Amino acid sequence: MKIIKTTLAALLAATLMGCATSPTTENVKDVTISQPACCALFSEFEWIPMQGDDIDFAIDQYSQIGDFAEGKSYFAGFVLPENVDRMRVDLNSWLRVAGVFAPKVLLLDENFQVVESIELNDFELKLSDMFRLSSYHNRFVMERKSTPYMVVYSPQEYREGEIQVPHPERLRAEELGLARPMVTDPVYQHQKFGSLELTLKPLALRSYRATQVPAPVPATEAPVKQQPQTVKVEKAVAASAPAMLPESEAFYNSQIKAAVEKNDMQKALSLMEEAKRAGSTSAEATFLELIKK
């Protein structure tokens, strides 16, 4: 019995030692981008018009990849619409369980030169409420004359980071003066993908002329009737036939006479017309003389 207890104790000790020395596996996030960049120049980017009140968009594997100064990054590009001169923009990058897109914003002029850079440190952490998630938030103004273009991307240095957010229950307890609950503040990993939102408020509108404007027609002006085009048809003038030989004249006249004598007027008329087309000058006179008799 003593031997059995000793054996069980040894097995238990070995098991505990094995558990203590077994390696722990941790999920390592992938923030690298191996796909080729679509473009290295801002002028080659594709731009989304900033129309409407809100634009919900995702930066994911289907987004464009740009080659920025800090390296490659998925990004989204936006441009002011033609009818807006100044626009107030609120940018939110939502903190979700899968992570958060840590944004950097570049504002470009009409020649695609960087005028202003908004770093991650310029964003504030906006905590969640009953209707919205926590987010990185920043408000700025875009102007058509100086900053009509905007690029949102995330450098690799940002993607390697994380952010810890106060737990809602802890904040609630602090507001009510209650004891701090036994909760852990959640940590959100920065990722190369994420969900974002633009809230747009035009501050100044502008009028502009369309590129192609049809000529104005006064409402009181009567429509102009288009005159029908008359096509002048000229009567073809038949070339004068050469004079018929006397033998041919005599032949046609004899055939016309024979047809009239047989009272076959249809044949006589046909022979007369044929003779005239062939150049006869006496066939018609012969036919008229015969029918008078």
Side-chain angles (χ1 to χ4, degrees):
M1 188 68 179
K2 184 176 181 180
I3 296 175
I4 295 176
K5 289 183 179 180
T6 304
T7 304
L8 290 175
L11 290 173
L12 180 60
T15 303
L16 292 175
M17 290 179 63
C19 293
T21 58
S22 61
T24 58
T25 59
E26 296 181 358
N27 293 328
V28 179
K29 63 179 181 180
D30 180 16
V31 297
T32 60
I33 299 175
S34 58
Q35 292 81 356
C38 69
C39 24
L41 301 176
F42 293 126
S43 59
E44 299 173 345
F45 287 5
E46 296 179 357
W47 306 95
I48 303 171
M50 301 170 70
Q51 297 175 338
D53 297 329
D54 299 285
I55 300 178
D56 292 308
F57 65 100
I59 295 181
D60 53 22
Q61 67 270 26
Y62 302 107
S63 301
Q64 301 178 81
I65 300 176
D67 195 0
F68 298 91
E70 305 93 333
K72 291 189 294 185
S73 172
Y74 291 92
F75 74 93
F78 297 90
V79 60
L80 289 178
E82 289 288 336
N83 64 327
V84 175
D85 202 34
R86 296 179 67 244
M87 178 87 79
R88 189 185 72 192
V89 181
D90 285 271
L91 173 61
N92 287 295
S93 182
W94 305 115
L95 276 67
R96 298 183 179 275
V97 176
V100 58
F101 188 86
K104 180 176 181 178
V105 176
L106 299 179
L107 300 181
L108 315 177
D109 62 14
E110 59 183 4
N111 297 318
F112 303 102
Q113 300 298 316
V114 178
V115 175
E116 184 178 352
S117 176
I118 303 175
E119 306 286 342
L120 182 61
N121 293 335
D122 299 322
F123 283 76
E124 65 170 332
L125 177 61
K126 204 169 185 179
L127 298 177
S128 62
D129 53 29
M130 293 182 61
F131 305 101
R132 301 168 74 88
L133 298 172
S134 298
S135 67
Y136 282 122
H137 171 263
N138 192 286
R139 172 177 289 181
F140 50 92
V141 175
M142 296 175 62
E143 297 186 359
R144 170 160 295 280
K145 292 183 178 179
S146 58
T147 53
Y149 296 96
M150 174 181 67
V151 179
V152 182
Y153 72 106
S154 183
Q156 183 167 342
E157 179 185 0
Y158 289 4
R159 302 195 298 265
E160 293 173 348
E162 62 183 23
I163 181 172
Q164 189 171 26
V165 179
H167 196 285
E169 290 298 324
R170 179 167 70 84
L171 294 177
R172 178 173 174 273
E174 291 176 357
E175 290 178 359
L176 298 177
L178 302 176
R180 181 171 178 172
M182 299 297 293
V183 293
T184 303
D185 293 336
V187 176
Y188 295 88
Q189 296 295 324
H190 292 175
Q191 302 287 357
K192 57 186 175 184
F193 302 139
S195 300
L196 302 93
E197 178 192 59
L198 294 177
T199 302
L200 309 176
K201 174 66 176 178
L203 302 178
L205 300 178
R206 64 185 290 268
S207 58
Y208 65 97
R209 182 177 294 276
T211 55
Q212 294 182 352
V213 181
V217 178
T220 57
E221 184 176 331
V224 179
K225 290 186 178 180
Q226 186 174 2
Q227 297 295 333
Q229 295 182 352
T230 57
V231 180
K232 186 177 181 181
V233 180
E234 296 184 357
K235 186 177 181 180
V237 179
S240 58
M244 183 177 285
L245 296 175
E247 295 84 358
S248 299
E249 288 272 11
F251 172 77
Y252 274 107
N253 289 338
S254 63
Q255 293 295 317
I256 293 171
K257 182 179 179 181
V260 172
E261 290 177 351
K262 293 180 181 179
N263 203 24
D264 191 352
M265 295 301 177
Q266 184 67 34
K267 183 177 180 180
L269 285 170
S270 298
L271 289 169
M272 181 193 69
E273 294 295 336
E274 183 179 339
K276 288 173 62 177
R277 288 194 297 270
S280 173
T281 58
S282 62
E284 185 175 4
T286 300
F287 175 76
L288 293 176
E289 286 293 332
L290 290 171
I291 62 175
K292 288 179 181 179
K293 294 180 180 180

